[in-house]
């Protein structure tokens, strides 16, 4: 069968001059048969273009089509996905990337990846409530994916650099059919180690640190006070602040935490305080100056060690002091412990539960 790619074009002609003189080889996966790619329906419109559900030789895929003015984002995202040893269960699987000439004779950039059945975590939490196990599964897999991204190692003669995500939000995390998370939207991701990164100079400071989504910006980012002397740790800590907010989002939709009381509708972090479109300045006041965080519900009873430990984990991620924040690896361990604590809770009285497991793992 012959499939046709429905070419989409959302940019404007005047932006074309930025993209016409391409010298780099965009197509890194020549074996990928893009002619058999069929775009079926628009899943979402992001900041940089449009994401389609499609199929590639009977396989369900997602295709991110970039506007030409966002070529740099495309190149960066492709570059990160194709970095050695990036593949991981909890990072969305990259299939291929291509530059094409669209219907109107203009350039467009395609990034093909695995289709995540439930779409973004944001959408998932708006639609569903989760139980304790479901919550831990989401949190654990998110932390596991990020621990992988943040790690650097050498395997089979190839080294994987540490990578910071720099735009972690519930919209940039996907939920797979099995209820586990996969990190995605690596458009702002940045290598922190290895020889392709040099220490940023003063003039690059804002460029390095002031990226991402304002709602999820860490206090030090809002203050322009990211410690660039150790920017590897600093940028990982910025990611961890966002993880704190995301764990809070997940927990607000966990029915087991409300003990039979109704579970509130999904709300974004700081939506209760600042509404739908918070500004940078508003977040500066609330997050940096007043050191406020999203509210941990009164309904989350602390009579169980599991609930107490969950709250501590969230608070230890969004700590005002960046250096005091948990690492992704530590959150991964904590979420694994939390998962098993609940099953012990349900057989043993929560108040009699030993407290040693959660307390000993802090980093
Ligand atoms: P942008 O950089 O424009 O924000 P994203 O990569 O975040 O683009 O994608 C935008 C949205 O498209 C996501 O929030 C999600 O709803 C949807 N989406 C992206 N990738 C996938 C995928 N692989 N499977 C399912 N939905 C996806
Ligand atoms: Mg996005
Ligand atoms: Mg993006």
């Amino acid at each position: 069968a012959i499939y046709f790619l429905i070419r989409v074009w959302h940019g404007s002609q005047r932006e074309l001059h930025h993209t016409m003189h391409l010298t780099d080889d965009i197509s890194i996966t020549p074996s990928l048969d893009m002619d058999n790619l069929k775009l079926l329906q628009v899943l979402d419109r992001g900041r940089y273009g449009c994401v389609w559900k499609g199929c590639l030789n009977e396989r369900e895929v997602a295709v991110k089509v970039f506007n030409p003015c966002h070529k740099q984002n495309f190149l960066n995202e492709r570059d990160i996905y194709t970095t050695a040893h990036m593949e991981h269960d909890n990072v969305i699987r990259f299939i291929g990337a291509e530059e094409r000439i669209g219907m109107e004779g203009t350039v467009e950039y395609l990034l093909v990846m695995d289709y995540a059945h439930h779409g973004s975590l944001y959408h998932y939490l708006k639609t569903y409530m989760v139980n304790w196990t479901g919550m831990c599964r989401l949190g654990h897999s998110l932390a596991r994916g990020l621990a992988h991204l943040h790690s650097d190692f050498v395997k089979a003669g190839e080294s994987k650099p540490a990578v910071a995500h720099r735009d972690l939000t519930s919209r940039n995390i996907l939920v797979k059919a099995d209820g586990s998370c996969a990190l995605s939207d690596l458009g702002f991701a940045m290598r922190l180690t290895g020889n392709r990164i040099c220490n940023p100079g003063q003039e690059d400071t804002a460029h390095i640190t002031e990226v991402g989504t304002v709602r999820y910006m860490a206090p030090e980012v809002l203050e322009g006070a990211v410690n660039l002397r150790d920017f590897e740790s600093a940028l990982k800590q910025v990611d961890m602040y966002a993880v704190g907010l995301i764990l809070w989002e997940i927990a607000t939709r966990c029915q087991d935490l409300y003990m039979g009381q109704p579970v509130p509708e999904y709300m974004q972090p700081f939506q209760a305080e600042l509404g739908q479109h918070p500004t940078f300045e508003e977040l500066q006041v609330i997050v940096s100056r007043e050191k406020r965080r999203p509210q941990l519900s009164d309904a989350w009873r602390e009579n169980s060690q599991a609930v107490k430990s969950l709250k501590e984990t969230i608070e230890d991620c969004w700590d005002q002091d960046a250096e005091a924040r948990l690492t992704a690896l530590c959150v991964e361990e904590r979420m694994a412990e939390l998962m098993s604590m609940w099953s012990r809770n349900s057989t043993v009285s929560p108040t009699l539960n030993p407290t040693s497991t959660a307390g000993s793992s802090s980093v």
Side-chain angles (χ1 to χ4, degrees):
I2 298 168
Y3 295 117
F4 292 96
L5 180 73
I6 306 156
R7 294 184 173 111
V8 288
W9 163 243
H10 298 284
S12 67
Q13 288 288 349
R14 82 193 129 77
E15 286 151 348
L16 192 63
H17 65 274
H18 291 302
T19 58
M20 284 309 282
H21 31 73
L22 285 173
T23 48
D24 39 349
D25 178 20
I26 296 278
S27 179
I28 47 92
T29 46
S31 59
L32 184 70
D33 190 2
M34 287 292 203
D35 290 342
N36 287 346
L37 179 68
K38 186 165 66 170
L39 302 189
L40 302 169
Q41 79 195 76
V42 173
L43 290 170
D44 208 340
R45 283 175 204 281
R47 270 189 288 180
Y48 303 104
C50 203
V51 177
W52 291 74
K53 181 178 181 181
C55 73
L56 181 67
N57 304 321
E58 314 300 316
R59 173 182 181 181
E60 277 186 325
V61 295
V63 185
K64 186 168 174 181
V65 182
F66 289 74
N67 298 335
C69 54
H70 296 299
K71 180 193 165 197
Q72 205 46 54
N73 255 139
F74 163 80
L75 289 176
N76 191 58
E77 192 161 4
R78 182 204 62 176
D79 212 39
I80 298 285
Y81 277 121
T82 54
T83 299
H85 303 306
M86 277 300 292
E87 331 69 59
H88 188 268
D89 274 354
N90 306 114
V91 176
I92 198 73
R93 186 195 305 274
F94 170 82
I95 299 171
E98 205 179 57
E99 176 194 4
R100 284 177 177 261
I101 304 299
M103 283 205 293
E104 298 175 36
T106 51
V107 183
E108 61 191 20
Y109 304 101
L110 273 58
L111 203 79
V112 185
M113 62 198 132
D114 264 359
Y115 169 68
H117 183 80
H118 289 296
S120 70
L121 177 63
Y122 167 79
H123 182 259
Y124 186 78
L125 294 175
K126 269 178 90 157
T127 316
Y128 303 106
M129 294 180 287
V130 289
N131 60 20
W132 181 269
T133 308
M135 172 183 70
C136 291
R137 189 171 177 73
L138 290 170
H140 178 259
S141 53
L142 156 63
R144 189 166 173 263
L146 192 62
H148 176 72
L149 213 67
H150 283 181
S151 68
D152 59 319
F153 55 83
V154 181
K155 203 163 101 184
E158 277 195 304
S159 55
K160 179 202 169 290
V163 171
H165 186 286
R166 303 204 304 154
D167 193 16
L168 280 176
T169 73
S170 53
R171 280 189 164 92
N172 288 340
I173 292 163
L174 302 169
V175 182
K176 302 195 284 186
D178 66 358
S180 66
C181 292
L183 303 182
S184 79
D185 197 356
L186 300 177
F188 283 131
M190 187 174 157
R191 289 193 180 86
L192 303 174
T193 56
N195 53 12
R196 293 179 73 173
I197 172 98
C198 49
N199 266 21
Q202 266 328 98
E203 68 282 4
D204 299 323
T205 303
H207 173 70
I208 301 270
T209 59
E210 280 176 30
V211 303
T213 305
V214 280
R215 189 185 291 282
Y216 289 85
M217 278 183 180
E220 65 273 20
V221 175
L222 293 164
E223 285 164 36
V226 176
N227 174 19
L228 286 171
R229 266 167 308 182
D230 181 6
F231 75 101
E232 180 186 344
S233 306
L235 294 188
K236 288 178 186 175
Q237 289 155 5
V238 167
D239 278 351
M240 293 316 296
Y241 170 84
V243 167
L245 297 183
I246 296 163
L247 291 178
W248 172 87
E249 285 175 78
I250 300 169
T252 61
R253 298 291 286 157
C254 176
Q255 59 206 13
D256 287 334
L257 281 172
Y258 294 89
M259 313 264 182
Q261 291 179 44
V263 177
E265 295 273 292
Y266 168 80
M267 281 228 245
Q268 298 183 79
F270 301 112
Q271 187 179 334
E273 294 82 0
L274 299 173
Q276 290 286 352
H277 304 286
T279 65
F280 189 88
E281 290 73 22
E282 285 172 332
L283 282 155
Q284 265 183 330
V285 171
I286 281 214
V287 174
S288 295
R289 210 168 313 151
E290 296 173 1
K291 305 185 188 357
R292 282 164 67 189
R293 298 293 184 270
Q295 210 199 325
L296 300 170
S297 171
D298 293 338
W300 304 353
R301 303 278 163 70
E302 285 205 28
N303 60 355
S304 109
Q305 181 56 39
V307 176
K308 205 167 158 201
S309 176
L310 170 70
K311 284 181 165 184
E312 278 169 13
T313 302
I314 294 173
E315 288 173 330
D316 291 350
C317 285
W318 66 32
D319 203 297
Q320 196 79 9
D321 176 4
E323 288 181 11
R325 289 177 203 147
L326 298 179
T327 62
L329 198 59
C330 182
V331 175
E332 181 188 339
E333 286 168 9
R334 287 239 191 144
M335 294 311 294
E337 283 168 5
L338 283 175
M339 185 133 24
S340 57
M341 280 171 94
W342 192 263
S343 36
R344 271 183 276 138
N345 270 350
S346 51
T347 49
V348 184
S349 163
T351 44
L352 297 176
N353 230 18
T355 60
S356 57
T357 39
S360 59
S361 67
S362 311
V363 170

